[in-house]
Amino acid sequence: MTVWIGTSWKMNKTLAEATDWARGLGEFLAGRELGAVQPFVIPPATAIAAVAQALAAEPRVLVGAQNAHWEDAGAWTGEVSVPQVADAGARIVEIGHSERREHFGETDETVRAKVAATLAHGLVPLLCVGEPAAVKDAGGSAAFIADQAARALEGLAPEQLGRVLIAYEPIWAIGAHGRPATTAELEEPFAALAQAWGEKVQGLLYGGSVGLDNAADLLGLAPVDGLFVGRTAWQLDGYLRLLQIAAHL
Ligand code: 13P
């Protein structure tokens, strides 16, 4: 079973910082056996090409994009397309992160269109789902995320679904204002995701306040195939520690 260990840098890092991080990862990995661990890194769009280039000698690391438009090209000022991020070196496209849904008008419909475009160009969609605190408090987490996933993946053929990654990222657990989820809190939502999608997609990941203290426990949850990490992995040391935890190095 593949264990996905990835990070999104969100809106952070200059080109120099991005390149340093990527070179450092390449140096760490050179000649090192990773077992089942699949690393990936999702820089801001400005740094995709530089990170891909810095990791050119280490093709085991997948580079991704944090967003891409559903159209291939055209009059869409400020957007980048799937072919463009692929040209820059991305092999994964993150879609539907809660920060994009909340601040940039991402809807189930645009998420669905972006998943389809990503698959059409042969890249891996990393679909993010997650419920707000109020939904969790009302006991609706599992139904909410199962519904989000169903809307995003509607109509896909089995072969297409087989290339999709789903990251469950409860909104209340993400970022500086989030609180780490306990493994007990994640059992029911992950059971629902696993029942609906576990056999069909490439993997189910967890994200939200993943740290060095809880990573092993989170990876120990049966349906969890990997971790999608923000703050802890923005410094290379943190990311390397996560790789070591996942690979039992
Ligand atoms: P944090 O790990 O900083 O909570 O961010 C998680 C996340 O949103 C990854 O996409």
Side-chain angles (χ1 to χ4, degrees), residues 10 97 169 173-175 208-210 228-231:
K10 307 195 182 186
H97 190 283
E169 302 211 322
I174 291 177
S209 293
V210 173
F228 188 31
V229 186
R231 291 156 296 155

Side-chain angles (χ1 to χ4, degrees), residues 130-226:
E131 83 287 11
V135 169
K136 171 184 164 48
D137 293 345
S141 303
F144 187 94
I145 61 172
D147 187 56
Q148 271 185 335
R151 287 169 195 263
L153 303 177
E154 188 188 327
L156 295 181
E159 176 278 324
Q160 293 175 305
L161 276 177
R163 292 189 276 133
V164 170
L165 294 170
I166 301 177
Y168 171 39
E169 302 211 322
I171 296 172
W172 47 269
I174 291 177
H177 303 294
R179 113 175 135 68
T182 65
T183 50
E185 286 175 310
L186 298 178
E187 267 168 26
E188 193 184 324
F190 263 112
L193 273 187
Q195 195 192 7
W197 303 104
E199 298 292 310
K200 297 180 178 151
V201 300
Q202 184 167 194
L204 301 179
L205 280 55
Y206 174 74
S209 293
V210 173
L212 302 180
D213 51 340
N214 63 359
D217 287 344
L218 292 164
L219 285 171
L221 283 168
V224 172
D225 301 310

Side-chain angles (χ1 to χ4, degrees), residues 2 22 30 36 39 60 79-80 90 109 111 121 129 138 140 154 157 162 164 181 197 201 224 227 230 239-240:
T2 304
R60 289 179 296 175
E79 292 289 311
V80 291
E109 184 52 31
V111 166
H121 289 286
V129 298
E154 188 188 327
V164 170
W197 303 104
V201 300
V224 172
L227 301 173
Y239 185 69
L240 298 184

Side-chain angles (χ1 to χ4, degrees), residues 6-249:
T7 177
S8 162
W9 294 342
K10 307 195 182 186
M11 196 172 72
N12 293 293
K13 293 196 190 294
T14 62
L15 278 176
E17 290 164 347
T19 307
D20 276 356
W21 191 105
R23 284 205 188 111
L25 175 59
E27 283 162 18
F28 173 83
L29 290 177
R32 202 178 286 255
E33 189 49 60
L34 272 178
V37 173
Q38 171 61 69
F40 66 94
V41 52
I42 308 193
T46 49
I48 295 170
V51 168
Q53 211 160 23
L55 286 165
E58 190 46 86
R60 289 179 296 175
V61 181
L62 298 176
V63 179
Q66 295 176 19
N67 177 41
H69 198 269
W70 58 87
E71 293 284 350
D72 288 359
W76 299 96
T77 300
E79 292 289 311
V80 291
S81 69
V82 177
Q84 286 176 313
V85 300
D87 185 44
R91 290 191 276 166
I92 295 179
V93 179
E94 180 182 355
I95 301 166
H97 190 283
S98 58
E99 289 153 14
R100 293 208 56 82
R101 294 181 194 251
E102 181 182 352
H103 302 300
F104 301 101
E106 198 81 87
T107 65
D108 287 334
E109 184 52 31
T110 60
V111 166
R112 194 199 56 72
K114 290 175 178 190
V115 169
T118 299
L119 287 167
H121 289 286
L123 280 73
V124 172
L126 171 56
L127 167 68
C128 299
V129 298
E131 83 287 11
V135 169
K136 171 184 164 48
D137 293 345
S141 303
F144 187 94
I145 61 172
D147 187 56
Q148 271 185 335
R151 287 169 195 263
L153 303 177
E154 188 188 327
L156 295 181
E159 176 278 324
Q160 293 175 305
L161 276 177
R163 292 189 276 133
V164 170
L165 294 170
I166 301 177
Y168 171 39
E169 302 211 322
I171 296 172
W172 47 269
I174 291 177
H177 303 294
R179 113 175 135 68
T182 65
T183 50
E185 286 175 310
L186 298 178
E187 267 168 26
E188 193 184 324
F190 263 112
L193 273 187
Q195 195 192 7
W197 303 104
E199 298 292 310
K200 297 180 178 151
V201 300
Q202 184 167 194
L204 301 179
L205 280 55
Y206 174 74
S209 293
V210 173
L212 302 180
D213 51 340
N214 63 359
D217 287 344
L218 292 164
L219 285 171
L221 283 168
V224 172
D225 301 310
L227 301 173
F228 188 31
V229 186
R231 291 156 296 155
T232 297
W234 291 346
Q235 298 301 318
L236 180 61
D237 280 355
Y239 185 69
L240 298 184
R241 286 291 301 124
L242 291 170
L243 287 181
Q244 288 170 310
I245 290 167
H248 308 290
L249 293 175

